Amino acid sequence: MKNRSDSSNTIITDAYNEYYPEVLSYITYRINHKYEAEDLAQDVFIRLLDYKALLRPATIKYFIFTITRNIITDYIRRYYKRQEIDYYLQEELSTYSNETEETIFTNDLLRVEKEKLATFPAQRQIIYTLSRDENLSLTDISMQLNLSRRTVENHLFLGRKMMRTYLKKII
């Protein structure tokens, strides 16, 4: 006399031989990835082992296709969730990376600018700093330093020219 376990194993083996090609075709049509479809088709029959006690030859086909449908749904959910996470990470990392690179680059430029500014004559340093950092106009600078507008303009022109030339060399 056969025991219950042998009967269930025979039902699963027979179902595998009969329905595997159909399950594989169904999954491949839904997800359009041949190798993953093969893995998922195997998973259907492995999951079928969890229902050994409930299997009957008359109901096994329904179990198989219910499990198949659930596996496909789970796969598609995971696939789109993974796409969403990949997109999010790509956006966040590129934004973070760009901001970090820009900050480093900006800090380096400011440091180099200050180093070069230290080589300017004292009056040119003051005029350049007032124009660049405090956004004062030529007229405001000339009034503040009690210099002619033309003198301020000349110092600013020479300071900017020297700075541009220097920065072009190092960049």
Side-chain angles (χ1 to χ4, degrees), residues 96-139:
Y96 178 75
S97 174
N98 288 343
E99 288 174 3
T100 303
E101 288 172 10
E102 288 173 11
T103 303
I104 291 170
F105 185 71
T106 302
N107 289 340
D108 284 346
L109 276 177
L110 290 172
R111 181 185 49 78
V112 167
E113 182 185 29
K114 284 182 182 179
E115 288 173 3
K116 181 62 178 173
L117 186 60
T119 67
F120 286 8
Q123 196 169 23
R124 193 168 295 153
Q125 281 183 26
I126 294 168
I127 292 170
Y128 184 89
T129 304
L130 290 173
S131 173
R132 170 93 165 87
D133 296 341
E134 297 183 27
N135 293 320
L136 294 179
S137 69
L138 292 174
T139 307

Side-chain angles (χ1 to χ4, degrees), residues 60-77:
I60 194 159
K61 182 177 181 178
Y62 302 108
F63 266 107
I64 289 171
F65 283 97
T66 300
I67 292 170
T68 302
R69 189 176 57 249
N70 292 341
I71 282 179
I72 291 170
T73 302
D74 291 346
Y75 172 84
I76 291 171
R77 271 194 207 120

Side-chain angles (χ1 to χ4, degrees), residues 49-64:
L49 293 171
D50 294 338
Y51 300 100
K52 262 184 171 181
L54 303 173
L55 297 178
R56 305 281 178 270
T59 61
I60 194 159
K61 182 177 181 178
Y62 302 108
F63 266 107
I64 289 171

